[in-house]
Structures are given as C-alpha cells and as structure tokens.
Amino acid sequence: MMLEEKLESLKEILKSLGNVLIAYSGGVDSTFLAKVAFDVLGKNTLAVTISSEIHPRWESEEAEELAREIGIRHENVVADALSIPGISDNPPNRCYYCKSDILSKLKEIARERGLEHVIEGTNFDDLSDHRPGMRAVAEQGVRSPLKEAKLTKADIRALSKRLGLPTWNKPSLACLASRFPYGIRITSENLTVVDEAETFLRELGFHQLRVRHHDDIARIEVTEDDMEKLFQNREQIVERLKKLGYRYVTVDLQGYRTGSMNEVLA
C-alpha cells in the first residue's frame, strides 16, 4: 500500500469514529495521530497525557506545547504508576498492567467528556516487538488507527515532516521503566537516578539514547554516530553518573536499539 493510500485509510478510520480521546505522549506517533485526528474531526477530539514518575519530567510539558501548536484540546492527568500492582516488581508483562490501568483511566475520562472512542498510537512496526501492552489495548476495546492503516514508523516520520510537525525527527520515547532488566525492582529513587542521568546526556547534545540501569552499573546506549562524541565526553559523563550512585559506567557497543531489555526473552 502506498503512503497516500495509508494516510487516506487513516483519515477514513478516524472519520468513521466521529469523536475520539487520544492517548497522547507527545511522541512521534501520538503527535501525528493527534494532528490528523484534529484535522479530520476538529473539536470532537481530546488529547490526554498521563504523567507519572515513570515518565521523564520534561515529557508532559513538551506534550502540552505540541498540543497547543496543533490546536487540539489537551488535558494532563497525574497518576501514581508505581502503586499499580505488577509495576514495581517489573515482570516481563509489566507494560500490560500499566497499559490496562492507563486505558481504564482514559476510558473514564472519555465517558465524562462525552466521547465514545479512545485511540492510541501503536504503529504497524510495533507488531514485531515484545509489546504486552497490546493485549490491554485489545481487552479495553481501544483502537489503534495507525496500526490499522498499516502505517510504519518510517511512514509516520515522512508524513509528519510533510505536515510540518516538529516531531518528524524526534527520538523514540519509552517510559523510564523500560531502562530496568525484568525482575529488578523499580523504585522512585532509581527512576530519578535514570532520569537525571539521561537529562545530563541530553544536555551534552545526545538525542537518541538510553541509560539502562543494572543495579550499580549504568549501560549507556547511543547511536553509532554519537559514539565518538560519547568518548570525547567520557570523563565528565563518568564523573556525573558516579555522583548519581553508579559504581561502573559502561557503553553498549551494539548501540541504541528499541527494546534491548527484551533480548533476554528470546
């Protein structure tokens, strides 16, 4: 299916829904979905961002700014993710418990606002990764229009650029819980450590990155293009991350990749 056909398919799906609440993170996928939904349905759209300690602290602010640029109505809801049973223990299906709770909240907000449908930004490429949250999406009856229209991440970036969205080349986002090996307990304290470590690296000019938290070991993932810059800044990176509590600061020579914590599940 050609790119234009996929876009038209997406618009038809949205048009058939009539009104929607969008699970909105401000990332590449949900911003594109919010923009197209707003273009198709106008005031019959609402973007809702869930903020909690498992999300980087700058994420909700950026989402609010992007929603304002699009023109879509936007609400921010604060949640206590670590209080959800099954999250802090960090099992391989952690995302299922988290997604179930979030989608339940969003469905309740949708009912209160008189909106009939909740939609979210799973894309067609996500089918190839370990995504237990998809089970929650199916159980809750939430729609995934990007996936239904067979739009891949590359498609979404290309169309976002055409629409003038600043997110077209935005790094891929994932909640901070994804930085922890399955079975390692997630706490507010170690989430803060990871958040501060990644914030420091972003301030140095790194964009697509992860700091994976292996107890007292930090495993840094950056793109291949950024490897040289990482070593150029080696001393201050080591100094800063050790001050945050890491005993060892390491670099993953395989580089950044989506879902590296899922490799143990193979």
Side-chain angles (χ1 to χ4, degrees), residues 46-67:
L46 172 66
V48 177
T49 302
I50 301 290
S51 302
S52 78
E53 60 267 65
I54 66 171
H55 299 102
R57 56 179 180 264
W58 49 266
E59 201 170 281
S60 60
E61 295 174 3
E62 198 167 276
E64 185 175 356
E65 183 179 336
L66 287 166

Side-chain angles (χ1 to χ4, degrees), residues 46-113:
L46 172 66
V48 177
T49 302
I50 301 290
S51 302
S52 78
E53 60 267 65
I54 66 171
H55 299 102
R57 56 179 180 264
W58 49 266
E59 201 170 281
S60 60
E61 295 174 3
E62 198 167 276
E64 185 175 356
E65 183 179 336
L66 287 166
R68 190 161 49 244
E69 289 181 18
I70 292 170
I72 194 170
R73 287 186 297 152
H74 177 254
E75 294 183 20
N76 186 70
V77 177
V78 178
D80 181 7
L82 292 183
S83 69
I84 302 169
I87 299 299
S88 59
D89 290 338
N90 196 22
N93 62 342
R94 176 199 67 238
C95 288
Y96 167 75
Y97 298 112
C98 187
K99 199 87 166 180
S100 292
D101 186 82
I102 287 173
L103 294 178
S104 294
K105 285 183 172 66
L106 294 179
K107 288 176 70 176
E108 184 178 342
I109 293 169
R111 284 192 294 270
E112 292 171 354
R113 304 295 184 271

Side-chain angles (χ1 to χ4, degrees), residues 247-262:
R247 187 178 300 274
Y248 303 103
V249 179
T250 69
V251 177
D252 189 324
L253 294 181
Q254 197 172 341
Y256 166 79
R257 59 220 183 266
T258 300
S260 72
M261 289 304 193
N262 295 332

Side-chain angles (χ1 to χ4, degrees), residues 76 186 206:
N76 186 70
I186 300 173
F206 297 94

